[in-house]
């Protein structure tokens, strides 16, 4: 790869544009005084070292990164409740500013590690001075509890380089189940939580006025 900055530029542009668009969905729910299935949105472009590591592990030639590595650009959409994830996926399916090319449900079909999330792979058209460039991006939709677990697991993965000691592996699996039970428990009192949040938001708006 001769020029990484030039190669990654459209990915960075895509992340910036989609963050604004997807955050706008949350604002629209708030304007309609409806429960927002989106808590917040984050995005990033993989560091060069991570791209090279993954290419090496997956056996992806550098000249095929654009077509074979789906998550050079990635966004995460955090949801308050598990049921909100499906609603967000449905909203993404209705959009016409990108095309969904693959979906992977790691909530119904969790990974062996305990990882849960819903992945949507898209092609997004970036407008450049040389014309339109369609790039692959991955959107991960998960609850706050799922994200907390995944963040910890990701950090430990770097420490152990994917080779977790058996006790750590078992603890992580146990923690993943605990996080999912927390999500399920919160879903049982969803109505109470949403009512409390609505009262809090009304008070906040009153103070602004």
């Amino acid at each position: 790869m001769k020029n990484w900055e030039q190669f990654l530029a459209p990915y960075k542009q895509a992340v910036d544009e989609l963050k604004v668009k997807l955050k706008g969905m949350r604002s629209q729910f708030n304007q309609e005084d409806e429960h927002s299935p989106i808590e917040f949105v984050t995005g990033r472009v993989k560091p060069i070292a991570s791209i090279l590591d993954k290419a090496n592990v997956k056996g992806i030639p550098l000249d095929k990164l654009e077509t074979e590595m789906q998550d050079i650009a990635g966004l995460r959409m955090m949801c308050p409740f598990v049921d909100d994830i499906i609603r967000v996926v449905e909203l993404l399916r209705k959009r016409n500013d990108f095309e969904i090319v693959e979906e992977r449900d790691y909530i119904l079909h969790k990974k062996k590690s305990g990882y849960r999330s819903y992945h949507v792979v898209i092609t997004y058209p970036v407008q450049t001075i040389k014309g339109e460039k369609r790039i692959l991006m991955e959107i991960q939709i998960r609850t706050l509890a799922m994200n907390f677990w995944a963040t910890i697991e990701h950090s430990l993965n770097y420490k152990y380089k994917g080779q977790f000691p058996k006790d750590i592996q078992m603890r992580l699996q146990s923690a993943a189940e605990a996080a999912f039970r927390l999500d399920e428990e919160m879903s049982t009192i969803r109505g109470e939580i949403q009512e409390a949040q609505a009262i809090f938001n009304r008070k906040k708006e009153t103070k602004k006025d």
Side-chain angles (χ1 to χ4, degrees), residues 25-38 80 84 87 91 190 194-195 197-198 201-202:
M25 293 168 65
R26 173 179 167 78
S27 299
Q28 290 169 38
F29 279 106
N30 291 337
Q31 289 163 7
E32 295 292 330
D33 201 25
E34 288 185 39
H35 164 72
S36 173
I38 304 165
D84 290 329
R87 190 174 184 195
L91 289 169
R190 174 177 179 146
Q194 289 179 212
E195 185 179 349
Q197 289 173 334
N201 289 333
R202 283 197 294 270

Side-chain angles (χ1 to χ4, degrees), residues 6-67:
Q6 184 179 20
F7 174 75
L8 293 176
Y11 291 95
K12 292 176 180 176
Q13 181 178 331
V15 167
D16 290 341
E17 290 179 7
L18 263 183
K19 275 171 65 178
V20 172
K21 291 179 178 181
L22 299 181
K23 285 179 180 178
M25 293 168 65
R26 173 179 167 78
S27 299
Q28 290 169 38
F29 279 106
N30 291 337
Q31 289 163 7
E32 295 292 330
D33 201 25
E34 288 185 39
H35 164 72
S36 173
I38 304 165
E39 192 70 27
F40 62 90
V41 180
T42 64
R44 62 95 186 102
V45 173
K46 258 188 193 307
I48 295 171
S50 295
I51 293 173
L52 292 173
D53 285 345
K54 185 165 185 176
N56 183 51
V57 170
K58 299 288 186 180
I60 302 173
L62 293 185
D63 61 352
K64 293 188 176 179
L65 287 176
E66 289 184 346
T67 56

